[in-house]
């Protein structure tokens, strides 16, 4: 049956490891896999802005022998004029997969329920699972085995990256700590899902309002913008609540001596992270950005092998 990646726990622990192993191979031999030879087309739809996601999918689909069709919702019938499920029924007649950056998670669910081709969440208000595959690949490259490592996210606890960190890292058997102000907590059902996943993998979840407690001894420190797309009107109030949660050199010093710093980008230096951290020696943000390409190629290969009608 066709598989989709709508949220991080759509991949089981074994499947996540399989995709990451494949990403390592794809990165080592960039032109070897050509599942989209033809070329077959993949639709990549954007309701929100993007640099990395747009470029990494366009380049990755071309690397796989395919043709990327980049669609802006503003110039399409999606977004109020046509339902996600009707759109999906049309696209599946012509494309091999659908990649969609949107607002509501429910739109992605409707899109996936309405089609026989794989649907990939390229960021929603709730999750950013493609970014997490790239982040896990980056951590693995620098730290080896993921299981047992501790990752600390400090900042906006209601961020899509937090929800993806909770699910993807517990799936990988990691310990996830989130340091956030009480006004911006993660979604309780996602925290509960992450804790349940951790029970099976040896991972765990710690929520705290104390940034130093979150970071102490951590192997990886992560943050993200305080003002996610769609929340621009809340900037002033968010900056006030989140200022004590900036990742500074002093906070970074609480982490393990060889801790990595990650940020999905785009970054607001001087807000969620000090320039000395994001541009400092522990930062691996450029590897992280490049790994979007390799991780997403692996994901597409994996999904295309499992799509209805794929050769057994
Ligand atoms: N990290 C990320 O998804 O970046 P873009 O918004 O540029 O795609
Ligand atoms: N949390 C950010 C991530 C951007 C890649 C946003 O949703 O705007």
């Amino acid at each position: 049956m066709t598989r989709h990646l709508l949220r991080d726990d759509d991949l089981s622990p074994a499947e996540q490891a399989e995709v990451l192993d494949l990403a390592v191979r794809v990165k080592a031999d960039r032109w070897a896999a050509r599942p989209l030879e033809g070329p077959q087309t993949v639709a990549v739809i954007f309701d929100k802005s993007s640099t990395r996601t747009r470029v990494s999918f366009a380049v990755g689909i071309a690397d796989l022998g395919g043709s990327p069709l980049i669609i802006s919702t503003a110039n399409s019938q999606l977004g109020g004029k046509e339902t996600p499920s009707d759109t999906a029924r049309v696209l599946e007649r012509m494309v091999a997969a659908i990649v969609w950056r949107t607002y509501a998670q429910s739109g992605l669910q409707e899109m996936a329920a309405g089609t026989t081709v794989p649907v990939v969440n390229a960021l929603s208000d709730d999750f950013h699972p493609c970014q997490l595959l790239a982040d896990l690949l980056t951590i693995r490259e620098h730290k080896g085995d993921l299981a047992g490592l501790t990752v600390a996210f400090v900042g906006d606890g209601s961020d899509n990256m937090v929800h993806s960190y909770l699910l993807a890292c517990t799936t990988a058997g990691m310990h996830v700590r989130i340091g956030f102000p009480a006004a911006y907590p993660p979604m309780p059902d996602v925290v509960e899902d992450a804790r349940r996943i951790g029970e099976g993998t040896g991972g765990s979840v710690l929520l705290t309002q104390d940034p130093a407690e979150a970071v102490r001894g951590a192997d990886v420190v992560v943050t993200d913008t305080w003002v996610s797309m769609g929340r621009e009107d809340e900037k002033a109030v968010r900056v006030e609540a989140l200022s004590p949660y900036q990742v500074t050199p002093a906070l970074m010093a609480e982490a393990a001596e060889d801790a990595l710093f990650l940020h999905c980008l785009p970054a607001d230096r001087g807000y969620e992270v000090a320039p000395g951290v994001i541009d400092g020696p522990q930062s691996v943000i450029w590897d992280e950005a490049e790994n979007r390409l390799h991780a997403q190629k692996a994901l597409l290969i994996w999904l295309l092998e499992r799509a209805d009608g794929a050769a057994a």
Side-chain angles (χ1 to χ4, degrees), residues 200-264:
T201 61
S204 67
V205 174
L206 174 92
L207 304 185
T208 175
Q209 264 69 72
D210 178 358
E213 184 192 8
V215 165
R216 200 158 294 133
D219 301 293
V220 182
V221 178
V222 196
T223 190
D224 187 18
T225 179
W226 292 341
V227 189
S228 283
M229 290 179 275
R231 293 176 174 169
E232 290 81 1
D233 293 351
E234 303 167 22
K235 181 164 180 175
V237 59
R238 285 178 157 269
V239 168
E240 193 178 336
L242 284 153
S243 288
Y245 293 82
Q246 184 185 94
V247 180
T248 59
L251 185 64
M252 204 61 202
E254 299 278 347
E257 212 176 320
D258 59 352
L260 304 174
F261 174 77
L262 273 77
H263 190 308
C264 67

Short mmCIF file of all heavy atoms in Angstrom, two decimals, residues 200-264:
data_model
loop_
_atom_site.label_atom_id
_atom_site.label_comp_id
_atom_site.label_asym_id
_atom_site.label_seq_id
_atom_site.Cartn_x
_atom_site.Cartn_y
_atom_site.Cartn_z
N GLY A 200 9.25 2.24 23.71
CA GLY A 200 9.65 1.11 22.88
C GLY A 200 11.08 1.19 22.37
O GLY A 200 11.64 0.17 21.96
N THR A 201 11.67 2.38 22.38
CA THR A 201 13.00 2.53 21.74
C THR A 201 14.11 2.85 22.74
O THR A 201 15.28 2.89 22.36
CB THR A 201 12.98 3.70 20.72
OG1 THR A 201 12.66 4.92 21.43
CG2 THR A 201 11.98 3.47 19.60
N GLY A 202 13.73 3.14 24.00
CA GLY A 202 14.73 3.57 24.99
C GLY A 202 14.91 5.07 25.00
O GLY A 202 15.75 5.59 25.75
N GLY A 203 14.14 5.79 24.21
CA GLY A 203 14.21 7.25 24.20
C GLY A 203 13.38 7.84 25.34
O GLY A 203 12.67 7.11 26.03
N SER A 204 13.46 9.15 25.52
CA SER A 204 12.68 9.78 26.59
C SER A 204 12.42 11.24 26.25
O SER A 204 13.03 11.79 25.33
CB SER A 204 13.43 9.69 27.93
OG SER A 204 14.60 10.49 27.88
N VAL A 205 11.51 11.85 27.02
CA VAL A 205 11.13 13.26 26.81
C VAL A 205 11.21 13.99 28.14
O VAL A 205 10.70 13.50 29.15
CB VAL A 205 9.68 13.34 26.28
CG1 VAL A 205 9.21 14.80 26.21
CG2 VAL A 205 9.55 12.68 24.92
N LEU A 206 11.84 15.15 28.15
CA LEU A 206 11.85 16.03 29.33
C LEU A 206 11.38 17.41 28.90
O LEU A 206 11.94 17.98 27.95
CB LEU A 206 13.25 16.11 29.92
CG LEU A 206 13.37 17.12 31.07
CD1 LEU A 206 13.13 16.43 32.41
CD2 LEU A 206 14.72 17.80 31.10
N LEU A 207 10.37 17.94 29.56
CA LEU A 207 9.90 19.31 29.29
C LEU A 207 10.27 20.17 30.48
O LEU A 207 10.07 19.75 31.63
CB LEU A 207 8.38 19.33 29.11
CG LEU A 207 7.78 18.42 28.04
CD1 LEU A 207 6.27 18.67 27.93
CD2 LEU A 207 8.43 18.62 26.69
N THR A 208 10.82 21.36 30.22
CA THR A 208 11.22 22.24 31.32
C THR A 208 11.12 23.70 30.89
O THR A 208 11.24 24.01 29.71
CB THR A 208 12.66 21.91 31.78
OG1 THR A 208 13.05 22.87 32.79
CG2 THR A 208 13.67 21.98 30.64
N GLN A 209 10.90 24.55 31.89
CA GLN A 209 10.92 26.00 31.61
C GLN A 209 12.33 26.58 31.82
O GLN A 209 12.53 27.77 31.65
CB GLN A 209 9.91 26.71 32.53
CG GLN A 209 8.55 26.93 31.86
CD GLN A 209 7.79 25.64 31.65
OE1 GLN A 209 7.29 25.05 32.59
NE2 GLN A 209 7.71 25.20 30.40
N ASP A 210 13.27 25.72 32.24
CA ASP A 210 14.63 26.17 32.54
C ASP A 210 15.57 25.80 31.39
O ASP A 210 15.88 24.61 31.19
CB ASP A 210 15.07 25.47 33.85
CG ASP A 210 16.49 25.84 34.22
OD1 ASP A 210 17.15 26.58 33.47
OD2 ASP A 210 16.95 25.35 35.27
N PRO A 211 16.03 26.79 30.61
CA PRO A 211 16.87 26.45 29.45
C PRO A 211 18.15 25.71 29.85
O PRO A 211 18.60 24.81 29.13
CB PRO A 211 17.20 27.81 28.82
CG PRO A 211 16.56 28.87 29.64
CD PRO A 211 15.76 28.24 30.73
N ALA A 212 18.74 26.08 31.00
CA ALA A 212 20.00 25.41 31.40
C ALA A 212 19.74 23.94 31.73
O ALA A 212 20.55 23.07 31.39
CB ALA A 212 20.59 26.13 32.61
N GLU A 213 18.60 23.64 32.34
CA GLU A 213 18.27 22.24 32.65
C GLU A 213 18.11 21.44 31.34
O GLU A 213 18.54 20.29 31.24
CB GLU A 213 16.98 22.16 33.47
CG GLU A 213 16.66 20.74 33.90
CD GLU A 213 15.25 20.57 34.47
OE1 GLU A 213 14.44 21.53 34.41
OE2 GLU A 213 14.96 19.45 34.96
N ALA A 214 17.50 22.08 30.35
CA ALA A 214 17.32 21.39 29.06
C ALA A 214 18.67 21.05 28.43
O ALA A 214 18.86 19.96 27.89
CB ALA A 214 16.50 22.27 28.12
N VAL A 215 19.60 21.97 28.52
CA VAL A 215 20.85 21.85 27.75
C VAL A 215 21.95 21.07 28.48
O VAL A 215 22.83 20.50 27.84
CB VAL A 215 21.33 23.29 27.39
CG1 VAL A 215 22.76 23.32 26.92
CG2 VAL A 215 20.42 23.90 26.33
N ARG A 216 21.87 20.99 29.81
CA ARG A 216 22.98 20.44 30.60
C ARG A 216 23.44 19.06 30.09
O ARG A 216 22.68 18.11 30.06
CB ARG A 216 22.56 20.35 32.07
CG ARG A 216 23.75 20.27 33.01
CD ARG A 216 23.36 20.72 34.42
NE ARG A 216 23.01 22.14 34.46
CZ ARG A 216 21.92 22.64 35.08
NH1 ARG A 216 21.08 21.85 35.69
NH2 ARG A 216 21.71 23.94 35.08
N GLY A 217 24.68 18.99 29.66
CA GLY A 217 25.29 17.72 29.22
C GLY A 217 24.79 17.21 27.87
O GLY A 217 25.18 16.11 27.45
N ALA A 218 23.96 17.98 27.17
CA ALA A 218 23.37 17.50 25.91
C ALA A 218 24.42 17.33 24.81
O ALA A 218 25.42 18.05 24.78
CB ALA A 218 22.28 18.46 25.43
N ASP A 219 24.16 16.38 23.91
CA ASP A 219 25.06 16.13 22.78
C ASP A 219 24.75 17.05 21.60
O ASP A 219 25.62 17.29 20.75
CB ASP A 219 24.90 14.67 22.30
CG ASP A 219 25.21 13.69 23.40
OD1 ASP A 219 26.38 13.63 23.81
OD2 ASP A 219 24.28 13.01 23.88
N VAL A 220 23.52 17.52 21.55
CA VAL A 220 23.08 18.38 20.44
C VAL A 220 22.18 19.47 21.01
O VAL A 220 21.28 19.18 21.82
CB VAL A 220 22.27 17.57 19.39
CG1 VAL A 220 21.87 18.46 18.22
CG2 VAL A 220 23.04 16.35 18.91
N VAL A 221 22.40 20.71 20.60
CA VAL A 221 21.53 21.83 20.99
C VAL A 221 20.91 22.40 19.72
O VAL A 221 21.62 22.61 18.73
CB VAL A 221 22.33 22.92 21.74
CG1 VAL A 221 21.43 24.10 22.11
CG2 VAL A 221 22.99 22.32 22.99
N VAL A 222 19.61 22.62 19.77
CA VAL A 222 18.87 23.06 18.58
C VAL A 222 17.96 24.22 18.95
O VAL A 222 17.41 24.26 20.06
CB VAL A 222 17.92 21.95 18.07
CG1 VAL A 222 17.45 22.26 16.64
CG2 VAL A 222 18.52 20.59 18.16
N THR A 223 17.76 25.12 18.01
CA THR A 223 16.68 26.09 18.17
C THR A 223 16.08 26.39 16.80
O THR A 223 16.51 25.82 15.78
CB THR A 223 17.14 27.38 18.88
OG1 THR A 223 15.99 28.17 19.20
CG2 THR A 223 18.10 28.20 18.03
N ASP A 224 15.08 27.26 16.80
CA ASP A 224 14.43 27.65 15.55
C ASP A 224 13.89 29.07 15.75
O ASP A 224 13.84 29.57 16.88
CB ASP A 224 13.30 26.66 15.21
CG ASP A 224 12.69 26.92 13.83
OD1 ASP A 224 13.34 27.61 13.00
OD2 ASP A 224 11.56 26.44 13.58
N THR A 225 13.47 29.68 14.67
CA THR A 225 12.91 31.04 14.74
C THR A 225 11.83 31.14 15.83
O THR A 225 11.11 30.17 16.08
CB THR A 225 12.31 31.45 13.38
OG1 THR A 225 11.77 32.77 13.51
CG2 THR A 225 11.20 30.51 12.92
N TRP A 226 11.73 32.31 16.43
CA TRP A 226 10.63 32.55 17.38
C TRP A 226 9.35 32.95 16.66
O TRP A 226 8.29 33.02 17.27
CB TRP A 226 11.04 33.67 18.36
CG TRP A 226 12.15 33.30 19.29
CD1 TRP A 226 12.57 32.04 19.61
CD2 TRP A 226 12.99 34.21 20.03
NE1 TRP A 226 13.61 32.09 20.50
CE2 TRP A 226 13.89 33.42 20.78
CE3 TRP A 226 13.07 35.59 20.13
CZ2 TRP A 226 14.85 33.98 21.62
CZ3 TRP A 226 14.02 36.15 20.97
CH2 TRP A 226 14.90 35.35 21.71
N VAL A 227 9.47 33.24 15.37
CA VAL A 227 8.31 33.76 14.61
C VAL A 227 8.13 32.90 13.35
O VAL A 227 8.60 33.26 12.27
CB VAL A 227 8.49 35.24 14.25
CG1 VAL A 227 7.20 35.82 13.68
CG2 VAL A 227 8.92 36.06 15.47
N SER A 228 7.46 31.79 13.50
CA SER A 228 7.25 30.90 12.36
C SER A 228 6.32 31.53 11.33
O SER A 228 5.55 32.45 11.67
CB SER A 228 6.65 29.57 12.84
OG SER A 228 7.65 28.79 13.43
N MET A 229 6.38 31.01 10.12
CA MET A 229 5.53 31.54 9.04
C MET A 229 4.06 31.43 9.43
O MET A 229 3.62 30.38 9.89
CB MET A 229 5.80 30.76 7.75
CG MET A 229 7.17 31.05 7.17
SD MET A 229 7.51 30.11 5.67
CE MET A 229 8.11 28.56 6.35
N GLY A 230 3.35 32.54 9.27
CA GLY A 230 1.94 32.59 9.67
C GLY A 230 1.74 33.23 11.03
O GLY A 230 0.61 33.52 11.43
N ARG A 231 2.85 33.46 11.77
CA ARG A 231 2.72 34.03 13.13
C ARG A 231 3.38 35.42 13.21
O ARG A 231 3.70 35.88 14.31
CB ARG A 231 3.39 33.09 14.13
CG ARG A 231 2.65 31.77 14.25
CD ARG A 231 3.34 30.80 15.16
NE ARG A 231 2.52 29.61 15.34
CZ ARG A 231 2.92 28.50 15.90
NH1 ARG A 231 4.16 28.41 16.37
NH2 ARG A 231 2.13 27.47 16.03
N GLU A 232 3.59 36.03 12.08
CA GLU A 232 4.32 37.31 12.01
C GLU A 232 3.67 38.38 12.88
O GLU A 232 4.38 39.20 13.48
CB GLU A 232 4.43 37.79 10.55
CG GLU A 232 5.36 36.95 9.67
CD GLU A 232 4.72 35.67 9.13
OE1 GLU A 232 3.52 35.41 9.42
OE2 GLU A 232 5.41 34.91 8.43
N ASP A 233 2.33 38.37 13.00
CA ASP A 233 1.64 39.41 13.79
C ASP A 233 1.97 39.31 15.28
O ASP A 233 1.74 40.26 16.02
CB ASP A 233 0.11 39.26 13.65
CG ASP A 233 -0.35 39.58 12.24
OD1 ASP A 233 0.49 40.07 11.46
OD2 ASP A 233 -1.53 39.32 11.94
N GLU A 234 2.47 38.15 15.72
CA GLU A 234 2.73 37.95 17.15
C GLU A 234 4.17 38.28 17.53
O GLU A 234 4.59 38.00 18.65
CB GLU A 234 2.47 36.47 17.52
CG GLU A 234 1.09 35.96 17.19
CD GLU A 234 1.01 34.43 17.28
OE1 GLU A 234 1.84 33.80 17.96
OE2 GLU A 234 0.11 33.87 16.64
N LYS A 235 4.93 38.87 16.59
CA LYS A 235 6.38 39.00 16.80
C LYS A 235 6.73 39.68 18.14
O LYS A 235 7.52 39.14 18.92
CB LYS A 235 7.03 39.75 15.64
CG LYS A 235 8.54 39.87 15.84
CD LYS A 235 9.29 40.26 14.60
CE LYS A 235 10.78 40.35 14.94
NZ LYS A 235 11.63 40.60 13.81
N ALA A 236 6.15 40.85 18.43
CA ALA A 236 6.57 41.61 19.61
C ALA A 236 6.33 40.81 20.89
O ALA A 236 7.23 40.71 21.75
CB ALA A 236 5.81 42.93 19.67
N VAL A 237 5.17 40.21 21.01
CA VAL A 237 4.85 39.48 22.24
C VAL A 237 5.71 38.20 22.36
O VAL A 237 6.16 37.82 23.45
CB VAL A 237 3.32 39.22 22.34
CG1 VAL A 237 2.80 38.43 21.19
CG2 VAL A 237 2.95 38.57 23.65
N ARG A 238 5.99 37.60 21.24
CA ARG A 238 6.84 36.39 21.24
C ARG A 238 8.28 36.73 21.64
O ARG A 238 8.89 36.02 22.43
CB ARG A 238 6.84 35.75 19.85
CG ARG A 238 5.57 35.03 19.55
CD ARG A 238 5.55 34.44 18.17
NE ARG A 238 4.60 33.36 18.19
CZ ARG A 238 4.91 32.10 18.48
NH1 ARG A 238 6.16 31.75 18.65
NH2 ARG A 238 3.99 31.19 18.54
N VAL A 239 8.80 37.81 21.09
CA VAL A 239 10.19 38.19 21.40
C VAL A 239 10.31 38.45 22.90
O VAL A 239 11.28 38.01 23.54
CB VAL A 239 10.62 39.41 20.56
CG1 VAL A 239 11.93 39.99 21.08
CG2 VAL A 239 10.77 39.02 19.08
N GLU A 240 9.30 39.08 23.48
CA GLU A 240 9.37 39.37 24.91
C GLU A 240 9.37 38.07 25.74
O GLU A 240 10.19 37.88 26.63
CB GLU A 240 8.21 40.26 25.32
CG GLU A 240 8.43 40.83 26.71
CD GLU A 240 7.32 41.76 27.15
OE1 GLU A 240 6.64 42.32 26.27
OE2 GLU A 240 7.15 41.89 28.37
N ALA A 241 8.48 37.16 25.39
CA ALA A 241 8.38 35.91 26.17
C ALA A 241 9.59 35.00 25.94
O ALA A 241 9.98 34.25 26.84
CB ALA A 241 7.10 35.18 25.76
N LEU A 242 10.17 35.06 24.75
CA LEU A 242 11.20 34.08 24.39
C LEU A 242 12.63 34.56 24.62
O LEU A 242 13.57 33.76 24.58
CB LEU A 242 11.00 33.66 22.92
CG LEU A 242 9.82 32.69 22.74
CD1 LEU A 242 9.21 32.78 21.35
CD2 LEU A 242 10.30 31.25 23.00
N SER A 243 12.79 35.86 24.93
CA SER A 243 14.16 36.40 25.10
C SER A 243 15.03 35.61 26.08
O SER A 243 16.21 35.38 25.80
CB SER A 243 14.11 37.87 25.50
OG SER A 243 13.70 38.60 24.38
N PRO A 244 14.50 35.13 27.21
CA PRO A 244 15.37 34.36 28.11
C PRO A 244 15.80 33.00 27.53
O PRO A 244 16.59 32.29 28.15
CB PRO A 244 14.48 34.13 29.35
CG PRO A 244 13.35 35.10 29.23
CD PRO A 244 13.16 35.35 27.76
N TYR A 245 15.27 32.65 26.36
CA TYR A 245 15.54 31.33 25.79
C TYR A 245 16.51 31.41 24.60
O TYR A 245 16.66 30.46 23.84
CB TYR A 245 14.22 30.65 25.38
CG TYR A 245 13.40 30.33 26.62
CD1 TYR A 245 12.61 31.30 27.22
CD2 TYR A 245 13.48 29.07 27.21
CE1 TYR A 245 11.89 31.04 28.37
CE2 TYR A 245 12.76 28.80 28.37
CZ TYR A 245 11.97 29.78 28.95
OH TYR A 245 11.28 29.50 30.10
N GLN A 246 17.19 32.55 24.44
CA GLN A 246 18.18 32.65 23.36
C GLN A 246 19.33 31.66 23.62
O GLN A 246 19.77 31.51 24.77
CB GLN A 246 18.75 34.07 23.28
CG GLN A 246 19.70 34.23 22.10
CD GLN A 246 20.38 35.61 22.08
OE1 GLN A 246 21.49 35.78 22.59
NE2 GLN A 246 19.70 36.58 21.51
N VAL A 247 19.79 30.98 22.58
CA VAL A 247 20.95 30.10 22.71
C VAL A 247 22.20 30.98 22.61
O VAL A 247 22.59 31.44 21.54
CB VAL A 247 20.96 28.98 21.64
CG1 VAL A 247 22.20 28.10 21.82
CG2 VAL A 247 19.69 28.15 21.75
N THR A 248 22.79 31.24 23.76
CA THR A 248 23.98 32.10 23.87
C THR A 248 25.21 31.21 24.07
O THR A 248 25.08 30.02 24.40
CB THR A 248 23.83 32.99 25.12
OG1 THR A 248 23.69 32.11 26.26
CG2 THR A 248 22.63 33.92 25.02
N PRO A 249 26.41 31.78 23.94
CA PRO A 249 27.61 30.99 24.25
C PRO A 249 27.57 30.45 25.69
O PRO A 249 27.98 29.31 25.93
CB PRO A 249 28.75 31.99 24.06
CG PRO A 249 28.22 32.95 23.02
CD PRO A 249 26.76 33.09 23.33
N ALA A 250 27.02 31.22 26.64
CA ALA A 250 26.95 30.75 28.03
C ALA A 250 26.02 29.55 28.16
O ALA A 250 26.33 28.59 28.87
CB ALA A 250 26.47 31.89 28.94
N LEU A 251 24.91 29.58 27.45
CA LEU A 251 23.99 28.42 27.51
C LEU A 251 24.63 27.22 26.84
O LEU A 251 24.57 26.09 27.34
CB LEU A 251 22.66 28.78 26.82
CG LEU A 251 21.58 27.70 26.93
CD1 LEU A 251 21.15 27.47 28.38
CD2 LEU A 251 20.36 28.04 26.08
N MET A 252 25.28 27.45 25.70
CA MET A 252 25.96 26.37 24.97
C MET A 252 27.03 25.71 25.86
O MET A 252 27.26 24.50 25.75
CB MET A 252 26.59 26.99 23.72
CG MET A 252 26.85 26.09 22.58
SD MET A 252 25.40 25.30 21.88
CE MET A 252 26.18 23.89 21.09
N ALA A 253 27.64 26.50 26.74
CA ALA A 253 28.69 25.96 27.62
C ALA A 253 28.13 24.96 28.64
O ALA A 253 28.88 24.18 29.22
CB ALA A 253 29.40 27.11 28.34
N GLU A 254 26.82 24.96 28.83
CA GLU A 254 26.18 23.97 29.72
C GLU A 254 26.10 22.58 29.06
O GLU A 254 25.93 21.57 29.73
CB GLU A 254 24.74 24.40 30.07
CG GLU A 254 24.62 25.71 30.80
CD GLU A 254 24.86 25.55 32.29
OE1 GLU A 254 24.87 24.41 32.80
OE2 GLU A 254 25.06 26.60 32.94
N ALA A 255 26.16 22.56 27.73
CA ALA A 255 26.05 21.29 27.00
C ALA A 255 27.37 20.53 27.07
O ALA A 255 28.36 21.04 27.62
CB ALA A 255 25.69 21.58 25.55
N ALA A 256 27.41 19.32 26.52
CA ALA A 256 28.67 18.56 26.47
C ALA A 256 29.70 19.39 25.71
O ALA A 256 29.35 20.19 24.83
CB ALA A 256 28.43 17.23 25.76
N GLU A 257 30.96 19.17 26.04
CA GLU A 257 32.04 19.98 25.44
C GLU A 257 32.06 19.87 23.92
O GLU A 257 32.35 20.83 23.22
CB GLU A 257 33.37 19.49 26.01
CG GLU A 257 34.39 20.57 26.15
CD GLU A 257 35.65 20.02 26.81
OE1 GLU A 257 35.53 19.21 27.76
OE2 GLU A 257 36.73 20.38 26.34
N ASP A 258 31.70 18.67 23.42
CA ASP A 258 31.73 18.46 21.97
C ASP A 258 30.32 18.51 21.37
O ASP A 258 30.05 17.91 20.33
CB ASP A 258 32.38 17.11 21.65
CG ASP A 258 31.63 15.94 22.29
OD1 ASP A 258 30.70 16.20 23.11
OD2 ASP A 258 31.95 14.78 21.98
N ALA A 259 29.42 19.23 22.04
CA ALA A 259 28.04 19.30 21.55
C ALA A 259 27.97 20.00 20.20
O ALA A 259 28.76 20.90 19.91
CB ALA A 259 27.17 20.06 22.56
N LEU A 260 27.00 19.57 19.38
CA LEU A 260 26.74 20.21 18.09
C LEU A 260 25.65 21.26 18.27
O LEU A 260 24.79 21.13 19.14
CB LEU A 260 26.22 19.18 17.08
CG LEU A 260 27.06 17.95 16.81
CD1 LEU A 260 26.28 17.00 15.89
CD2 LEU A 260 28.39 18.34 16.17
N PHE A 261 25.66 22.26 17.39
CA PHE A 261 24.54 23.20 17.32
C PHE A 261 23.86 23.05 15.95
O PHE A 261 24.54 23.08 14.91
CB PHE A 261 24.99 24.65 17.51
CG PHE A 261 23.85 25.62 17.29
CD1 PHE A 261 22.89 25.80 18.26
CD2 PHE A 261 23.71 26.29 16.07
CE1 PHE A 261 21.80 26.65 18.05
CE2 PHE A 261 22.63 27.14 15.85
CZ PHE A 261 21.67 27.32 16.85
N LEU A 262 22.54 22.89 15.95
CA LEU A 262 21.78 22.79 14.71
C LEU A 262 20.68 23.85 14.66
O LEU A 262 20.15 24.25 15.69
CB LEU A 262 21.10 21.41 14.59
CG LEU A 262 21.91 20.27 13.96
CD1 LEU A 262 22.92 19.72 14.95
CD2 LEU A 262 20.99 19.15 13.50
N HIS A 263 20.34 24.26 13.46
CA HIS A 263 19.24 25.21 13.23
C HIS A 263 18.75 24.94 11.81
O HIS A 263 19.55 24.94 10.87
CB HIS A 263 19.76 26.64 13.35
CG HIS A 263 18.70 27.70 13.37
ND1 HIS A 263 17.71 27.80 12.42
CD2 HIS A 263 18.48 28.73 14.23
CE1 HIS A 263 16.93 28.83 12.70
NE2 HIS A 263 17.37 29.41 13.79
N CYS A 264 17.45 24.74 11.63
CA CYS A 264 16.95 24.37 10.30
C CYS A 264 17.08 25.51 9.29
O CYS A 264 17.07 25.27 8.09
CB CYS A 264 15.51 23.90 10.39
SG CYS A 264 14.33 25.19 10.85
#
